[in-house]
Amino acid sequence: MRITLNKILNYSLDGFKDFKESLLNKDAWYYLGIHDVKLRYRRSIIGPWWVTISTLILVIALGFLWSKLFNTEIREYMPFFTIGYIFWTFFLNQTTDSLIGFTQFSEIIKQINLPYPVFLNRILLRNIVALLHNFVVMFLVIYFVGDGLNSNSIWFFPGFIVILFLLIPYSVILAFLATRFRDLSPAIMSVMQILFFFTPIIWQPNILPERYFFALDFNPIFHALEIVRSPLLGQVPPLHSYIIVLTISLILWLVSVFILGRFKKRLVYWI
């Protein structure tokens, strides 16, 4: 079927309307997201603080190991690795959960008429809660191992907002594609495993040979990390990283509103 420009606009407006309704319907995704967190740690004495403890143990053990392997001062390496690893885990969890973002709620979708982004907002909220618990680890490392925060750290807040602005449409696109094409999930997870090693998380950009440094410009995860990691390391985030992440975000928003408006009536038959 031929899709005209008028139809594209209509689908996009319809998708934008669903995004708007889902954000306004915050009671649904907020309480459901908090409920997910409570349910996950039910009968646990310290609950989600297990996430903090396990992350703290991991970054201390691997931070000391890799700082020696890379012959880097622990004061410089540990905060870099800790912040990068925690935010990478946040990205990875959001990606993994979004791939089953509709199928895991299939019974609810078949019974209750809710805007589909509600289910992805629910997932994003519970991953933000886990991230907030890991903030404790970041600040412990920054203050007791690193040089602490300074006036440049205020840049973290706009950077984090930009990250959320990116993840909302990103999650919707992943959820639709993975629901329609079930083989896509393992393929994407394989790509994420490769990206982990190609992204400066366990290694620092300054050890990359100068002739290969340009390759980082083609890694969007690197730029997403930079706008939140640099401020916490006391540096002003690079402007071009903001531009790249915002450009990608706008493209994803345009694609996501079209996909949502175009295929939302078919989703119930896919799950």
Side-chain angles (χ1 to χ4, degrees):
M1 183 178 65
R2 183 181 179 185
I3 300 180
T4 63
L5 179 60
N6 188 49
K7 286 184 177 180
I8 292 176
L9 291 175
N10 289 335
Y11 287 138
S12 298
L13 289 173
D14 195 18
F16 178 78
K17 181 181 177 182
D18 276 12
F19 268 113
K20 181 180 177 181
E21 290 179 358
S22 69
L23 290 174
L24 293 176
N25 193 6
K26 66 178 183 178
D27 288 343
W29 54 264
Y30 176 78
Y31 290 111
L32 288 173
I34 297 299
H35 174 72
D36 287 343
V37 175
K38 291 180 179 179
L39 191 62
R40 180 179 297 180
Y41 298 100
R42 186 176 57 180
R43 300 180 184 274
S44 172
I45 297 176
I46 61 176
W49 291 107
W50 277 116
V51 176
T52 306
I53 294 172
S54 61
T55 302
L56 181 61
I57 294 172
L58 185 143
V59 298
I60 290 176
L62 295 184
F64 276 104
L65 173 64
W66 283 328
S67 66
K68 298 300 181 182
L69 291 177
F70 291 120
N71 195 27
T72 306
E73 288 290 334
I74 191 68
R75 191 177 186 86
E76 174 188 347
Y77 180 81
M78 183 75 83
F80 176 89
F81 166 66
T82 300
I83 299 168
Y85 177 78
I86 287 174
F87 273 98
W88 166 263
T89 302
F90 175 57
F91 296 152
L92 182 63
N93 288 342
Q94 185 63 23
T95 299
T96 304
D97 291 345
S98 296
L99 291 171
I100 55 171
F102 293 140
T103 54
Q104 66 179 302
F105 303 123
S106 59
E107 295 303 319
I108 300 176
I109 291 174
K110 292 175 181 177
Q111 298 178 38
I112 303 176
N113 184 23
L114 287 172
Y116 291 130
V118 164
F119 301 100
L120 283 310
N121 293 343
R122 172 182 181 175
I123 290 171
L124 181 59
L125 177 62
R126 72 192 189 197
N127 285 325
I128 290 174
V129 171
L131 175 66
L132 292 176
H133 281 84
N134 279 332
F135 273 14
V136 175
V137 178
M138 284 197 293
F139 290 126
L140 286 175
V141 171
I142 289 171
Y143 274 102
F144 289 99
V145 181
D147 298 324
L149 302 176
N150 59 29
S151 59
N152 292 329
S153 301
I154 196 69
W155 285 100
F156 168 80
F157 296 102
F160 187 59
I161 292 172
V162 171
I163 294 298
L164 297 182
F165 183 70
L166 168 72
L167 287 178
I168 292 173
Y170 168 78
S171 301
V172 170
I173 294 171
L174 277 187
F176 267 96
L177 292 177
T179 305
R180 178 63 181 88
F181 306 103
R182 298 303 172 92
D183 291 333
L184 193 63
S185 295
I188 290 177
M189 294 311 299
S190 297
V191 172
M192 294 297 290
Q193 289 178 348
I194 296 172
L195 280 176
F196 175 78
F197 295 103
F198 276 83
T199 303
I201 298 171
I202 62 175
W203 54 273
Q204 295 175 292
N206 57 12
I207 71 171
L208 196 66
E210 187 174 348
R211 63 181 180 276
Y212 296 123
F213 198 80
F214 75 94
L216 291 178
D217 289 333
F218 298 95
N219 186 342
I221 296 180
F222 166 69
H223 296 289
L225 284 176
E226 278 298 284
I227 63 177
V228 289
R229 181 168 56 189
S230 294
L232 295 178
L233 294 176
Q235 305 162 6
V236 177
L239 178 60
H240 73 278
S241 290
Y242 269 109
I243 294 173
I244 290 172
V245 176
L246 283 172
T247 302
I248 294 173
S249 300
L250 290 174
I251 293 172
L252 291 181
W253 272 102
L254 292 174
V255 174
S256 65
V257 294
F258 171 75
I259 288 178
L260 180 58
R262 177 72 173 85
F263 298 108
K264 66 178 182 178
K265 292 181 180 179
R266 301 185 185 182
L267 183 66
V268 71
Y269 300 105
W270 296 346
I271 57 179

